[in-house]
Amino acid sequence: MMTNQWRLLHTGLKNSAENMAIDEAILVAHSEGKVPPTIRFYGWDPSTLSIGYFQKVRKEVDMDRLQERGLGFVRRPTGGRAVLHDQEVTYSVIVAEDYPDMPTSVTQSYRVISTGLLEGFRRLNLKAEMVPMESEEEKARYASMGSAACFDSPSNYELVVEGRKVAGSAQTRQKGVILQHGSILLDLDVELLFDVLRFPSERVKERMKRGFLQKAVAINQLRETPVAVEEAVDAFTHGFAKGMGIRLVSGELTSYEEELAERLVQERYGTEAWNLKK
């Protein structure tokens, strides 16, 4: 991919509605030519369960338990399954579909963006690999257990370390722009995740949990010395720059993006009409 200048954002800890609203506001601003391609790193306060755009809340999420646990909740504009945003680094990549050398297919654009993630893991001395999911053998090896949880299994070109999924990503395309965001696990609270998801029975829940633990892993489970958030963000900043052949320049959200994000919180991501609509 040709070298080009992108904006780098560190927006810190935000609540669930604000985080999704900011991602969409950047997408809109980029589609209108107001801001350059952008990579954003962020966190969540409070810890949040996000669900994919197509998931059914009442079938898959225990909202009472979610509130008891003090977790935030939001429906993403992207697909995929439920993610507990807790001890992690979250990234988003916003770039026009016609960006030079960006593949038109969703699968291949995943591959390009995952190259950046791959380089980030390498900087943390982890032997990550991309899973093409092209052969029947790979599909069988990484097959989903069928739970509502994202880290149950990798999708095309997602990252695994020692055969277990370590980063989960989802993508949407709107207004000629790709928005891909994802969760890079530093630590993993499997008990909390499975406590707020619904299952047909306790037996099924325990079976799913055991399978999940065999398929998902966090960075700090793989390293002798734990990785702090700042160290991880630095590693993946360099990873995206190297893997995607871009130059990242620190920036800020524009007033236009901030105002649009506030409106999106009020009209979409902060509303039950959006979050509970399925």
Side-chain angles (χ1 to χ4, degrees):
M1 182 169 285
M2 63 180 285
T3 301
N4 212 337
Q5 184 169 306
W6 289 37
R7 178 178 57 162
L8 174 66
L9 295 178
H10 299 281
T11 53
L13 298 173
K14 304 282 185 188
N15 69 36
S16 51
E18 289 170 332
N19 271 332
M20 293 300 90
I22 290 170
D23 274 354
E24 183 171 339
I26 298 169
L27 181 153
V28 172
H30 185 51
S31 76
E32 295 171 351
K34 291 182 166 69
V35 298
T38 298
I39 289 178
R40 171 185 173 228
F41 291 102
Y42 54 100
W44 306 72
D45 186 20
S47 297
T48 290
L49 184 78
S50 79
I51 60 168
Y53 179 77
F54 299 103
Q55 283 188 283
K56 293 176 171 59
V57 176
R58 289 168 184 82
K59 179 183 176 185
E60 299 185 24
V61 181
D62 187 332
M63 294 301 291
D64 291 337
R65 191 62 59 84
L66 199 78
Q67 291 175 347
E68 287 171 19
R69 292 289 205 145
L71 298 175
F73 178 76
V74 71
R75 182 182 296 277
R76 301 187 305 270
T78 52
R81 288 175 285 178
V83 179
L84 177 62
H85 303 284
D86 184 18
Q87 303 160 89
E88 68 170 51
V89 169
T90 314
Y91 78 89
S92 58
V93 174
I94 296 99
V95 61
E97 290 183 272
D98 62 0
Y99 183 81
D101 293 341
M102 180 60 72
T104 54
S105 82
V106 172
T107 300
Q108 291 303 315
S109 63
Y110 258 114
R111 177 183 56 77
V112 169
I113 295 169
S114 287
T115 302
L117 295 171
L118 187 65
E119 292 294 343
F121 283 112
R122 285 175 177 164
R123 284 188 73 93
L124 295 173
N125 296 314
L126 293 174
K127 293 187 175 73
E129 58 181 329
M130 276 192 273
V131 181
M133 297 290 277
E134 289 170 349
S135 70
E136 291 306 313
E137 183 184 350
E138 283 171 333
K139 289 174 184 173
R141 181 182 173 194
Y142 295 109
S144 168
M145 293 288 292
S147 80
C150 167
F151 282 81
D152 182 311
S153 66
S155 301
N156 283 4
Y157 294 108
E158 285 193 315
L159 280 296
V160 297
V161 176
E162 296 176 9
R164 291 191 285 173
K165 184 169 172 176
V166 72
S169 303
Q171 191 181 113
T172 186
R173 294 175 178 227
Q174 301 172 26
K175 304 177 187 295
V177 174
I178 297 166
L179 162 60
Q180 180 170 314
H181 49 201
S183 170
I184 302 164
L185 299 179
L186 299 185
D187 288 290
L188 177 60
D189 190 336
V190 177
E191 295 297 327
L192 180 57
L193 172 60
F194 275 72
D195 192 40
V196 297
L197 296 178
R198 288 190 185 280
F199 298 90
S201 68
E202 276 298 312
R203 198 182 73 201
V204 171
K205 177 179 176 178
E206 289 305 314
R207 178 167 58 82
M208 294 283 192
K209 192 188 298 181
R210 287 194 302 272
F212 183 91
L213 287 166
Q214 293 171 356
K215 291 174 176 287
V217 70
I219 286 173
N220 287 337
Q221 292 174 258
L222 298 165
R223 282 176 48 113
E224 292 179 9
T225 54
V227 178
V229 169
E230 296 76 16
E231 183 184 352
V233 168
D234 181 68
F236 287 100
T237 299
H238 284 92
F240 277 123
K242 180 179 180 181
M244 297 177 65
I246 58 179
R247 190 162 72 90
L248 287 165
V249 178
S250 294
E252 304 287 339
L253 287 168
T254 63
S255 57
Y256 177 78
E257 289 167 307
E258 288 176 341
E259 289 165 15
L260 179 54
E262 285 178 21
R263 195 159 77 241
L264 286 165
V265 168
Q266 298 300 320
E267 297 175 0
R268 183 168 303 165
Y269 297 107
T271 70
E272 288 191 354
W274 168 266
N275 288 319
L276 305 181
K277 67 179 178 176
K278 292 183 187 293

